Amino acid sequence: MPRTPPPLRLRDLAVTSPGGRALLTLPKLAIAPGTATVIRGPSGAGKSTLLMALAGLIRPARGEIRWGETDLAALPEPAIARFRRETLGFVFQDHMLFEELSAAENASLAALYAPKAARAGLAARSEALLTRLGLGARGARRVDSFSGGERQRIAVARALATDPPILLADEPTASLDRANADRLVADLMSLARDGGKTVIAVSHDPALIAAADRVLHIEDGALRPESARV
Amino acid sequence: MFNALWHSLPLWAQDGAIALALLAPALLQAPLILRGYRLGPLLRGLLRRHAGLSLVFILLIATSVAIGAAITAQERALRQGSARAADKFDLIVAAPGSEITAMLAAVYLQPSALPLIDGETFAEIAATEQVALAAPIAFGDSWQGAPIVGSTAEFVTHLAETLAEGRLFESTEEAVVGAGVPLEIGARFTPAHGHGVADAAEAHDVAYEVVGRMPRTGSPWDKALIVPVEAVWGVHGLADGHGPDWDGTLGPPFDPSRFPGTPAVLIRASSLWANYALQRAFTTERTMAFFPGNVLSRLHAIMGDLRQILSVVALLTQVLVTAAVLAGLMMLTRLLARRLALLRALGAPRRFIFALTWSFAGSLILAGTALGLLLGLIAARILSGMITARTDVLVTAHLGWPELHLVAGFVSLTLSLALIPAALTIRRPVIADLRL
């Protein structure tokens, strides 16, 4: 039974560099559960900073990052880690897989630190995801034998193996050719829609933008008016 | 109460308890750190990925452990070997002088010039009530570097118990040889004066026939050629130790007036307790009596200081290597930083990251320690072989409790130190490490 994603509400959010320079300022933002949102903007605008803040990887200087009733900005580090592990899936730009492990071991990475009772289910789910993504037959092979597009699909399987209600992606198609990018977008959106997940992705990929419910434009660390389809 | 309980335990139990106590920090840490996680696949992957560097660490640790284990195992083997070689020499009587020199000459057949015990003194010793065996040990000649020792058939029987082949000598032209002498029964050899490989000019004008061979004793006597003491006196142009009407029967009783002298006498007492009385009785102005075992103990005590110094050297080596390993682990955690940051970004608990880093270090430490024990044993065996070849004292090294204690302490110390890089790892900035 898919878990219902919590709504996201940001209020008075400010992220600064260690030197105190303002990186991101968002007075207010809400994202509805189960929707797909793409964040775009020029390089250095603060897109990835926002994504990392939404994952609790960057602690804001002030403000709230509320996923439902949980304010990530107010949680201690262990609780944020637990939130990430139980609620979020993350896809990185350059897949960031463990090259020395097999595709199946990468996809079920969370099983290594999951409670014993959850491991079998997690492994089964990651295997099913690999099969759905067309890689099931090669799960035992090391990931360095896979192409770039295939590796990114393994990363998607890893992100969704815990069945998180929220999926965050940072430029997931940036290192792929068009054909692989299209396939990844199709797979990603299909899996997210089927599970009723909230998707928030930083991307300039037209296919991903076209598939999104909403597009946010960030420039100079602030949200700009942009087309929105909700 | 504790002392009484401790001393009531058998030695193996005490050693086992010490080993457990030394290992306790590691044994307590491991389950606390590793519980609940399945680290195997990731750990194997990281070790494969950093195989070269891991191997360097393992070899570094192995070398340190091997040095420590080899030093202690070798020192113990040397002590046991030298003590075993002196087993048959209960009490030695010699002219006053250095007990160590006399022991080295009489027991370990090391060349040295000892003053002689005269015939009257020997006769008094042999006639003492509690003396079961008084055998002269006369040396000075050699064959191809192997010592020729003059004594009695009773001495050969005392030393060898049963001959491996042949029989005891029955005439002054016959010899019984040690197990390591390359002469067959029936072979003849000509003695040379002094030690070392003599040239023809130094050779005596006699020849002995080998009639018997002793079993291996693991002592320098395996290389010795034993001939009747009368023969040694004879080849040096001295009296034969017997009266003018001697019928040629070898061995005691000797005629004190025709006894040319002997550097040492082996005494076997009729009973164990009598040894001490005999030692007192033969410690006079003309003779000194000593137990080779006691002299060895004193030597070992001196060596014990050396052993402690060597142990400190070994420990210092290990401390230095441990520090190097610790510094290396710090660097290694930087190499792992991006992967560990990725795990944290994916939500892995901090304790998992801690456990992974610690077990990575622990794997290197344990592998290095196991390899080090093996290398230490091999090194000690090679050294033992070299010492045996040089001294003919059978030295056999094996790993024992002292080495296990050393290793247990080392493992606990290094695993405890590995907590430091593991703790530092989880304090690293995730975002900065992801961008490495």
Side-chain angles (χ1 to χ4, degrees), chain A residues 122-158:
Chain A
L122 216 150
R125 183 172 166 77
S126 63
E127 194 180 329
L129 280 164
L130 283 177
T131 302
R132 182 160 170 187
L133 292 165
L135 302 169
R138 292 188 287 155
R141 285 170 54 178
R142 277 169 53 144
V143 292
D144 50 14
S145 65
F146 288 84
S147 70
E150 289 170 331
R151 290 185 202 195
Q152 198 63 315
R153 276 185 268 152
I154 296 169
V156 169
R158 178 180 68 190

Side-chain angles (χ1 to χ4, degrees), chain A:
Chain A
M1 185 74 180
R3 288 182 288 165
T4 309
L8 172 67
R9 286 199 320 272
L10 305 183
R11 190 184 302 168
D12 191 25
L13 184 70
V15 179
T16 57
S17 70
R21 184 169 61 88
L23 299 175
L24 184 69
T25 308
L26 286 178
K28 197 174 175 187
L29 175 67
I31 291 179
T35 60
T37 303
V38 168
I39 305 167
R40 57 182 300 193
S43 184
K47 312 181 293 292
S48 293
T49 302
L50 174 59
L51 204 65
M52 296 298 169
L54 296 183
L57 291 167
I58 292 177
R59 197 174 280 279
R62 64 161 200 275
E64 291 179 2
I65 305 170
R66 281 196 181 277
W67 288 103
E69 296 305 311
T70 306
D71 179 9
L72 280 190
L75 286 182
E77 182 61 38
I80 295 175
R82 175 186 287 266
F83 179 82
R84 271 202 297 275
R85 143 168 109 245
E86 292 176 350
T87 315
L88 294 180
F90 213 116
V91 179
F92 298 89
Q93 181 177 338
D94 57 349
H95 58 76
M96 293 189 72
L97 298 172
F98 284 85
E99 309 255 327
E100 56 278 5
L101 299 184
S102 69
E105 284 171 329
N106 267 287
S108 61
L109 197 67
L112 302 181
Y113 45 81
K116 207 168 183 177
R119 286 178 196 164
L122 216 150
R125 183 172 166 77
S126 63
E127 194 180 329
L129 280 164
L130 283 177
T131 302
R132 182 160 170 187
L133 292 165
L135 302 169
R138 292 188 287 155
R141 285 170 54 178
R142 277 169 53 144
V143 292
D144 50 14
S145 65
F146 288 84
S147 70
E150 289 170 331
R151 290 185 202 195
Q152 198 63 315
R153 276 185 268 152
I154 296 169
V156 169
R158 178 180 68 190
L160 296 176
T162 55
D163 194 18
I166 303 160
L167 180 64
L168 304 181
D170 189 6
E171 306 268 16
T173 59
S175 57
L176 304 181
D177 59 34
R178 190 64 262 154
N180 272 309
D182 286 345
R183 161 127 202 218
L184 188 87
V185 169
D187 285 338
L188 194 69
M189 296 312 290
S190 150
L191 284 165
R193 300 271 190 222
D194 287 357
K197 299 179 191 307
T198 298
V199 178
I200 302 175
V202 169
S203 181
H204 294 97
D205 190 302
L208 195 52
I209 290 169
D213 300 308
R214 185 178 179 189
V215 177
L216 301 174
H217 188 89
I218 290 186
E219 205 170 311
D220 294 332
L223 202 56
R224 300 285 177 237
E226 181 73 358
S227 58
R229 303 183 296 276
V230 180

Side-chain angles (χ1 to χ4, degrees), chain B residues 252-277:
Chain B
F254 295 105
D255 181 344
S257 64
R258 292 179 54 79
F259 187 93
T262 181
V265 181
L266 166 78
I267 305 288
R268 201 186 72 214
S270 53
S271 58
L272 189 63
W273 63 266
N275 276 311
Y276 297 95

Side-chain angles (χ1 to χ4, degrees), chain B residues 180-384:
Chain B
V181 174
L183 286 172
E184 300 298 321
I185 300 287
R188 298 180 71 79
F189 65 94
T190 300
H193 188 68
H195 288 272
V197 181
D199 57 32
E202 293 173 292
H204 291 296
D205 192 20
V206 294
Y208 297 105
E209 181 187 346
V210 177
V211 296
R213 180 186 301 282
M214 295 189 291
R216 194 164 288 281
T217 61
S219 75
W221 290 84
D222 288 340
K223 288 277 177 66
L225 303 99
I226 308 176
V227 300
V229 68
E230 291 91 339
V232 171
W233 289 328
V235 298
H236 290 93
L238 303 169
D240 57 20
H242 297 280
D245 50 350
W246 180 44
D247 63 358
T249 305
L250 299 173
F254 295 105
D255 181 344
S257 64
R258 292 179 54 79
F259 187 93
T262 181
V265 181
L266 166 78
I267 305 288
R268 201 186 72 214
S270 53
S271 58
L272 189 63
W273 63 266
N275 276 311
Y276 297 95
L278 290 176
Q279 192 216 4
R280 279 194 302 275
F282 300 144
T283 303
T284 65
E285 283 183 0
R286 286 180 296 154
T287 56
M288 65 175 180
F290 61 90
F291 300 111
N294 282 0
V295 179
L296 266 181
S297 294
R298 292 209 299 275
L299 266 179
H300 291 159
I302 297 167
M303 282 169 64
D305 294 339
L306 184 66
R307 181 190 180 195
Q308 281 181 339
I309 292 168
L310 288 174
S311 297
V312 169
V313 169
L315 196 67
L316 276 177
T317 309
Q318 284 182 321
V319 167
L320 285 175
V321 170
T322 305
V325 168
L326 184 63
L329 287 174
M330 298 284 199
M331 288 191 297
L332 209 56
T333 52
R334 286 182 66 88
L335 282 181
L336 304 180
R338 190 162 191 242
R339 283 149 186 282
L340 299 178
L342 170 64
L343 284 167
R344 289 181 67 189
L346 293 174
R350 291 210 289 188
R351 194 170 68 79
F352 178 80
I353 307 297
F354 184 94
L356 184 63
T357 314
W358 184 83
S359 56
F360 184 77
S363 303
L364 302 184
I365 290 165
L366 291 179
T369 303
L371 181 64
L373 272 178
L374 183 67
L375 290 178
L377 181 62
I378 292 170
R381 289 268 163 94
I382 291 171
L383 279 174
S384 294

